[in-house]
């Protein structure tokens, strides 16, 4: 009799053992999918982790219902990677399985499986329609060629190399040449981007060269399309090039030779919610290592972790500090809006100089990008009479007003509310909008420049893949003069005709109470500035701030990465922050507010027994209740040299101890390792 230990798509640490019916014995293997009963009624698609003949020690052993594959659908290397992620990021293998496979490969009930199988077959035929054979790789410039050669040279002695190239230096062209070289050598390449918006443009550039051997993978594709890419990867003829966002590290590969992590500094490479809370750049390094592949990390503004490693010689380092065609870096004008507000010279969110610059750009048929890091119309609404602010019923946050549908939305749980006719506290009908969202910026633009056409790119306007593509293509074709957006417009987009970039409010980023806020502001503001003047003329950037005299603003203006890095690193060292220390946030969630306080104190006390003064907290996080669950946070700062295994074992032991207490019923404990 054979037994199979299987991984279920549930937050469970352990595998579950089922009996293998005789008719499946010949075909069942590690990595195959099986349909298994679970509990009294449920049926799940599970992954076989081990087949063996040791009868487990419990009376009734359930049997597998169905074997879905005769060859493994999850490869040995994938299972190895899952194991690493579960152990490093302290989560369960079941959570990784859920995240790693497209939905269509893990349907819950058998009917759905048959349905999906039918659809999948159809899709394969469809897939070939985007193939074309036009080939074009660009004549690299001298500076680009030099960087290319240096990358090759550094790969002789390093597995990972940082390409530190200013915005618009032509990093993408270097990647294209590098990808071509690896593919010609018969290797596979993974090209990772931090943002779906970016894949649109890069796909177009790459398709011209690699169309017949390239697959694109991200969450805005339909499930069937993602299943098709996945299936192709385990077929005899896998894609040679995969372009994708962070989840593409979960695809099966056969002979991966190179991973490119573009815009490696982007915090969106870290998954926040739900588990696995993995960092795709760091996981990519582990993946590359498993294949003996090289990794190129590209950016104009390296993350501290990566720059630090490059300076210490752990990673190779290649610099490219001129823009393609030698176009000058944009000229950044700092606009002190504190003064202007006092003198009442601002028109809404716009300073007079910015208005003049936009006017001039519009006259010269140039385009403008405006960056405001908040979506919606206003951050919140307030009763002018009594100060009442509408808040979410389930989360500890005020609601964001969306004017288009006259709705209040919770940006944490997604619940929407209608705007009350009058204030429920005092009965007055006098609401004021506080704060600035992209929707309000668009309104103000229409008032100041009625003849200008606008596009808006934020979470509200990009619900589907086509909406991304439409916005980006329309702006590239100059169907609009002004693009207004959240951080989505800051990342790596390449438009030829943009002469002006306006940063409407740099301060909300700078004022975040977080040790990374300077580093993050430098990245974001330098990146958005880099969207200006990419093709011929030098671009102009208007950076509106109340902190015009601060060091960080000066460093951004002078593109002085080194001083920003150096100053911040001194602080990080003094206060025991990354990259000198490793952080782990422990979160506790419970629906009882009083109980969570006690439980968090208990857990912190237990942690202090093992970790001493490396423990900080417990604290209430900035939003201390989400979806009716109260949250507490405990921070652990650990020496970089400490064994991750020992730390994990200590944490999981304390977690079990906590959860064993009857009073802890309903308590949820989870970890964020290397939080961003
Ligand atoms: P980066 O990724 O460094 O910001 P890009 O790779 O997007 O820069 O290059 C900026 C612009 O210059 C793009 O429009 C690109 O097409 C163009 N470009 C860069 N290198 C070349 C080249 N060797 N030949 C032709 N065009 C190039
Ligand atoms: Zn009121
Ligand atoms: Zn909410």
């Amino acid at each position: 009799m054979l037994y199979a230990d299987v991984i279920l798509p549930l937050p469970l640490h352990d595998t579950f053992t089922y009996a293998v019916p005789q008719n499946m014995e010949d075909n069942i293997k590690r990595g195959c999918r099986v349909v298994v009963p679970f509990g009294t009624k449920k049926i799940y698609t599970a992954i076989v982790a081990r087949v063996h003949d040791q009868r487990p020690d419990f009376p009734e052993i359930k049997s597998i219902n169905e074997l879905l594959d005769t060859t493994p659908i999850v490869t040995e290397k994938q299972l190895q990677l899952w194991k690493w992620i579960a152990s490093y990021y302290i989560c369960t293998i079941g959570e990784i399985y859920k995240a790693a496979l497209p939905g269509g490969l893990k349907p819950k009930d058998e009917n759905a499986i048959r349905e999906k199988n039918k659809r999948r077959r159809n899709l394969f035929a469809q897939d070939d329609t985007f193939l074309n054979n036009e080939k074009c790789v660009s004549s690299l410039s001298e500076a680009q060629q030099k960087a290319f050669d240096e990358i090759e040279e550094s790969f002789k002695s390093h597995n990972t190399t940082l390409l530190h190239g200013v915005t618009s230096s032509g990093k993408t062209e270097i990647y294209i040449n590098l990808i071509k070289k690896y593919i010609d050598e018969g290797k596979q390449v993974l090209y990772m981007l931090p943002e779906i918006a970016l894949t649109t443009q890069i796909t177009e550039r790459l398709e011209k060269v690699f169309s017949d051997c390239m697959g694109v993978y991200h969450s805005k594709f339909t499930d069937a399309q993602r299943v098709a890419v996945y299936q192709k990867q385990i077929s005899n003829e896998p894609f040679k090039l995969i372009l994708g966002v962070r989840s593409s590290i979960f695809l099966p590969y056969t002979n991966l030779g190179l991973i490119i992590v573009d815009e490696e500094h982007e915090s969106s490479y870290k998954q926040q919610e739900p588990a696995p809370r993995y960092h795709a750049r760091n996981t990519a390094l582990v993946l590359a290592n498993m294949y003996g592949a090289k990794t190129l990390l590209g950016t104009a503004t390296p993350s501290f972790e990566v720059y630090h490693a490059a300076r210490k010689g752990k990673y190779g380092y290649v610099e490219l500090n001129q823009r393609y065609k030698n176009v000058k870096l944009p000229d950044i004008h700092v606009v002190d809006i504190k003064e202007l507000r006092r003198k009442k010279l601002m028109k809404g969110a716009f300073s007079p100089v910015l208005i003049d610059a936009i006017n001039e750009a519009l006259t010269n048929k140039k385009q403008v990008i405006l960056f405001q890091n908040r979506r919606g119309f206003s951050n919140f609404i307030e009763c002018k009479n009594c100060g009442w602010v509408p808040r979410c019923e389930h989360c500890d946050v005020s609601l964001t007003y969306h004017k288009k549908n006259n709705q209040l939305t919770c940006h944490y749980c997604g619940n929407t509310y209608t705007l009350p006719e009058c204030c429920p506290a005092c009965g007055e009908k006098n609401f004021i909008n506080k704060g600035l969202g992209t929707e309000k910026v668009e309104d103000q633009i229409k008032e100041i420049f009625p003849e200008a056409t606008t596009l808006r790119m934020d979470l509200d306007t990009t619900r589907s893949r086509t909406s991304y593509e439409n916005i980006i293509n329309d702006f590239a074709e100059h169907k609009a003069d002004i693009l207004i957006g959240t951080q989505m417009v800051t990342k790596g987009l390449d438009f030829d005709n943009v002469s002006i970039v306006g940063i409407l409010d740099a301060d909300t980023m700078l004022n975040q109470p977080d040790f990374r806020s300077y580093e993050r502001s430098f990245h974001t503001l330098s990146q958005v500035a880099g969207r200006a003047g990419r093709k011929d003329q030098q671009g102009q950037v208007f950076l509106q701030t109340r902190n015009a005299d601060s060091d960080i603003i000066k460093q951004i203006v002078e593109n002085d990465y080194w001083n920003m890095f150096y100053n911040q690193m001194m602080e990080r060292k003094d206060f025991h922050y990354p990259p000198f220390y490793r952080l782990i946030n422990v979160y506790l969630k419970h629906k009882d507010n009083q109980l969570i306080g006690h439980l968090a104190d208990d857990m912190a006390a237990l942690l202090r027994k093992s970790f001493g003064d490396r423990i900080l907290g417990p604290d209430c996080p900035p939003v201390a209740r989400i979806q009716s669950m109260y949250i507490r946070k405990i921070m652990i700062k650990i020496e970089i040299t400490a064994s991750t295994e020992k730390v994990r074992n200590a944490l999981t032991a304390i977690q079990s101890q906590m959860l064993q207490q009857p009073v802890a019923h309903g308590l949820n404990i989870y970890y964020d390792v290397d939080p961003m």
Side-chain angles (χ1 to χ4, degrees):
M1 184 79 189
L2 286 183
Y3 301 92
D5 301 343
V6 308
I7 303 166
L8 288 154
L10 299 169
L12 301 166
H13 279 284
D14 290 324
T15 51
F16 277 65
T17 307
Y18 290 84
V20 179
Q22 217 157 21
N23 63 344
M24 294 178 201
E25 281 189 353
D26 289 344
N27 287 323
I28 193 164
K29 289 178 205 80
R30 176 167 152 96
C32 289
R33 288 171 307 161
V34 287
V35 178
V36 293
F38 188 77
T40 46
K41 281 202 199 81
K42 294 210 169 79
I43 288 176
Y44 285 110
T45 305
I47 303 290
V48 177
R50 194 166 82 98
V51 181
H52 55 89
D53 58 8
Q54 295 128 34
R55 191 185 194 284
D57 195 14
F58 40 81
E60 198 212 340
I61 300 168
K62 289 181 180 162
S63 288
I64 292 172
N65 289 359
E66 198 181 337
L67 175 66
L68 296 179
D69 310 300
T70 49
T71 52
I73 192 164
V74 181
T75 65
E76 197 53 48
K77 287 237 169 39
Q78 281 176 289
L79 288 168
Q80 268 180 44
L81 188 72
W82 292 10
K83 203 172 155 199
W84 180 83
I85 294 174
S87 113
Y88 185 84
Y89 292 104
I90 321 182
C91 62
T92 68
I93 198 95
E95 285 166 325
I96 299 168
Y97 162 37
K98 259 181 96 165
L101 259 58
L105 290 181
K106 46 182 181 347
K108 279 194 197 118
D109 67 75
E110 298 175 46
N111 280 339
I113 293 166
R114 279 192 209 100
E115 225 5 75
K116 293 261 158 114
N117 276 340
K118 241 192 277 165
R119 264 191 274 152
R120 189 179 315 149
R121 259 174 252 126
N122 296 341
L123 213 115
F124 262 122
Q126 228 176 47
D127 231 18
D128 293 11
T129 52
F130 61 69
L131 306 189
N132 85 64
N133 285 315
E134 191 192 340
K135 294 257 181 268
C136 57
V137 184
S138 301
S139 55
L140 295 176
S141 74
E142 207 177 301
Q144 285 171 324
Q145 187 60 47
K146 184 163 169 283
F148 181 90
D149 295 341
E150 283 175 18
I151 292 167
E152 288 211 295
E153 191 56 36
S154 95
F155 277 161
K156 287 182 188 157
S157 49
H158 293 90
N159 290 329
T160 307
T161 290
L162 165 63
L163 172 60
H164 186 184
V166 293
T167 53
S168 203
S169 54
K171 293 184 286 296
T172 319
E173 298 304 322
I174 295 176
Y175 302 151
I176 291 173
N177 282 267
L178 211 55
I179 295 167
K180 186 161 185 316
K181 176 180 169 259
Y182 276 83
I183 290 181
D184 287 348
E185 286 169 6
K187 296 285 192 183
Q188 278 177 314
V189 179
L190 166 61
Y191 183 163
M192 290 213 297
L193 291 163
E195 170 80 55
I196 294 170
L198 255 179
T199 58
T200 305
Q201 282 199 333
I202 306 277
T203 301
E204 269 179 25
R205 282 168 80 173
L206 294 182
E207 264 184 354
K208 290 189 187 140
V209 189
F210 305 107
S211 59
D212 52 348
C213 59
M214 159 177 149
V216 184
Y217 193 76
H218 61 67
S219 63
K220 295 285 172 181
F221 281 99
T222 64
D223 203 47
Q225 284 169 316
R226 271 182 293 157
V227 169
V229 172
Y230 192 101
Q231 296 276 22
K232 176 116 169 116
Q233 288 307 90
I234 46 172
S235 72
N236 292 330
E237 258 188 287
F239 286 118
K240 292 183 178 119
L241 169 62
I242 290 287
L243 177 71
V245 295
R246 61 174 183 242
S247 57
S248 53
I249 55 151
F250 288 121
L251 283 172
Y253 297 92
T254 30
N255 58 344
L256 197 58
L258 173 71
I259 302 180
I260 294 166
V261 184
D262 200 3
E263 315 290 353
E264 68 72 24
H265 63 277
E266 277 295 342
S267 53
S268 46
Y269 276 124
K270 179 73 162 45
Q271 170 145 321
Q272 307 283 0
E273 206 58 47
R277 296 175 180 81
Y278 65 102
H279 197 302
R281 177 199 62 213
N282 296 353
T283 309
L285 298 181
V286 175
L287 181 69
N289 190 35
M290 281 167 47
Y291 283 90
K294 302 290 180 187
T295 308
L296 183 66
L297 307 171
T299 177
T301 53
S303 64
F304 282 14
E305 282 82 353
V306 166
Y307 195 66
H308 186 60
R311 282 182 48 78
K312 288 203 315 194
K314 191 175 162 207
Y315 299 163
Y317 180 75
V318 175
E319 205 174 5
L320 184 59
N321 45 26
Q322 52 176 272
R323 287 188 140 190
Y324 180 65
K325 283 195 177 156
N326 261 327
V327 176
K328 275 200 200 151
L329 277 173
D331 204 357
I332 304 181
H333 310 267
V334 178
V335 185
D336 183 351
I337 53 172
K338 196 166 60 190
E339 252 329 87
L340 292 168
R341 284 227 185 279
R342 204 175 54 80
K343 293 183 183 152
K344 299 211 182 323
L345 291 173
M346 296 287 284
K347 220 177 200 177
F350 294 85
S351 56
V353 272
L354 178 54
I355 292 177
D356 289 347
I358 295 174
N359 249 327
E360 193 184 324
L362 295 177
T363 313
N364 295 330
K365 302 268 176 289
K366 290 285 181 185
Q367 287 168 291
V368 176
I369 292 180
L370 297 174
F371 167 58
Q372 172 58 17
N373 208 14
R374 262 220 176 91
R375 67 192 167 99
F377 188 78
S378 58
N379 306 348
F380 62 93
I381 272 191
E382 196 182 83
C383 169
K384 208 170 179 176
N385 187 41
C386 75
W388 177 81
V389 172
R391 302 178 68 85
C392 181
E393 284 169 23
H394 313 283
C395 313
D396 272 346
V397 285
S398 52
L399 298 169
T400 305
Y401 179 54
H402 290 252
K403 190 178 171 189
K404 190 173 155 235
N405 33 20
N406 194 33
Q407 237 173 18
L408 297 163
T409 306
C410 172
H411 284 186
Y412 281 83
C413 70
N415 260 303
T416 56
Y417 304 78
T418 43
L419 183 68
E421 278 282 308
C422 50
C423 172
C426 73
E428 287 282 318
K429 278 190 191 179
N430 200 355
F431 293 124
I432 41 170
N433 292 307
K434 288 272 176 112
L436 181 72
T438 43
E439 216 186 319
K440 197 194 255 182
V441 173
E442 194 175 25
D443 255 31
Q444 294 184 354
I445 277 288
K446 282 180 176 151
E447 239 169 72
I448 308 172
F449 306 100
E451 72 291 352
T453 44
T454 59
L455 279 167
R456 183 155 60 85
M457 189 158 77
D458 55 31
L459 210 62
D460 299 313
T461 62
T462 53
R463 300 277 175 204
S464 71
R465 180 165 63 94
T466 41
S467 51
Y468 274 108
E469 288 174 0
N470 292 343
I471 294 170
I472 288 169
N473 292 338
D474 286 356
F475 194 64
E477 289 166 20
H478 204 154
K479 287 185 187 157
D481 304 309
I482 302 175
L483 175 66
I484 300 150
T486 54
Q487 28 75 27
M488 275 182 197
V489 300
T490 66
K491 299 175 189 180
L493 290 170
D494 181 38
F495 298 111
D496 291 353
N497 195 39
V498 173
S499 65
I500 303 288
V501 164
I503 298 164
L504 297 178
D505 167 23
D507 302 328
T508 38
M509 304 198 74
L510 292 171
N511 295 339
Q512 268 168 18
D514 166 10
F515 75 96
R516 279 190 214 271
S517 69
Y518 270 35
E519 182 191 354
R520 210 183 294 125
S521 305
F522 187 91
H523 292 157
T524 308
L525 300 177
S526 310
Q527 290 287 343
V528 68
R531 301 313 107 207
R534 290 173 72 85
K535 258 291 150 63
D536 32 45
Q537 235 174 317
Q538 186 185 22
Q540 306 292 319
V541 177
F542 294 84
L543 190 158
Q544 302 190 149
T545 175
R546 288 181 175 80
N547 298 292
D549 295 327
S550 65
D551 286 343
I552 182 79
I553 295 292
K554 284 185 193 135
Q555 286 152 1
I556 290 165
V557 170
E558 284 157 24
N559 195 28
D560 187 359
Y561 179 83
W562 169 253
N563 264 314
M564 190 275 303
F565 174 76
Y566 187 79
N567 294 346
Q568 287 292 303
M569 286 289 270
M570 305 282 269
E571 282 190 21
R572 299 264 185 110
K573 197 168 192 170
D574 285 352
F575 293 100
H576 293 193
Y577 276 114
F580 301 102
Y581 278 71
R582 216 157 65 89
L583 300 186
I584 299 177
N585 285 341
V586 183
Y587 287 97
L588 295 94
K589 265 189 183 177
H590 199 284
K591 58 178 185 301
D592 184 322
N593 194 16
Q594 262 198 328
L595 190 60
I596 193 75
H598 294 310
L599 291 171
D601 286 341
D602 290 353
M603 179 138 183
L606 286 175
L607 287 167
R608 282 200 169 89
K609 274 194 202 155
S610 299
F611 293 93
D613 59 7
R614 296 177 188 84
I615 301 296
L616 281 91
D619 292 307
C620 289
V623 179
R625 186 179 58 123
I626 297 176
Q627 288 177 308
S628 303
M629 297 290 271
Y630 291 90
I631 309 165
R632 292 290 185 281
K633 179 179 114 179
I634 301 168
M635 187 190 266
I636 315 178
K637 290 180 175 178
I638 303 163
E639 292 80 351
I640 217 83
T641 47
S643 144
T644 51
E645 196 183 327
K646 273 194 191 153
V647 170
R648 183 182 62 252
N649 291 342
L651 286 175
T652 41
I654 291 168
Q655 174 175 345
S656 315
Q657 206 179 329
M658 284 297 295
L659 295 176
Q660 268 162 21
Q661 320 168 67
V663 58
H665 182 76
L667 174 67
N668 182 5
I669 299 174
Y670 60 91
Y671 305 90
D672 190 358
V673 178
D674 302 336
M676 291 298 284

